[in-house]
Amino acid sequence: MTEIILISILYLILSFAIASQAKNSRLSFVQLFLISFFLSPLVGLIFLLKTKKRFSYYVYQYKCPRCKYYFTENYKNCPHCKKDGYKIELKEVKKIMT
Ligand SMILES: [Zn+2]
């Protein structure tokens, strides 16, 4: 009897473990959890691997809205525009690198 409970707990933990990898997948946490729960964690794992996101990462850059120049460092004000006598705050932009 206790074995069934243990297996059920293990089953839930496995389903959660697979669902927690959703950030690497095109599927959401809930979708992966439901697939793992109803179709078994093994199927969930297959889904997770099949829907794996292509390798990409984000880089933060800082853009000046006046001179449209991109900086990798977050300056308080745009160094280019500062020379011209303007105090322009840089805007953070997320760039997807592939
Ligand atoms: Zn500027």
Side-chain angles (χ1 to χ4, degrees), residues 33-86:
F33 181 75
L34 289 176
I35 291 164
S36 303
F37 191 77
F38 286 110
L39 303 171
S40 89
L42 188 70
V43 178
L45 189 68
I46 293 163
F47 264 88
L48 179 67
L49 296 171
K50 285 262 182 194
T51 59
K52 213 165 189 177
K53 270 182 189 165
R54 275 167 59 212
F55 181 73
S56 63
Y57 60 97
Y58 298 105
V59 165
Y60 282 99
Q61 289 196 319
Y62 304 93
K63 190 191 179 190
C64 170
R66 187 179 168 266
C67 63
K68 310 275 190 271
Y69 209 89
Y70 285 94
F71 300 93
T72 47
E73 275 177 76
N74 189 12
Y75 297 105
K76 186 107 187 88
N77 294 300
C78 174
H80 279 265
C81 299
K82 209 175 180 181
K83 281 182 207 160
D84 300 337
Y86 293 99

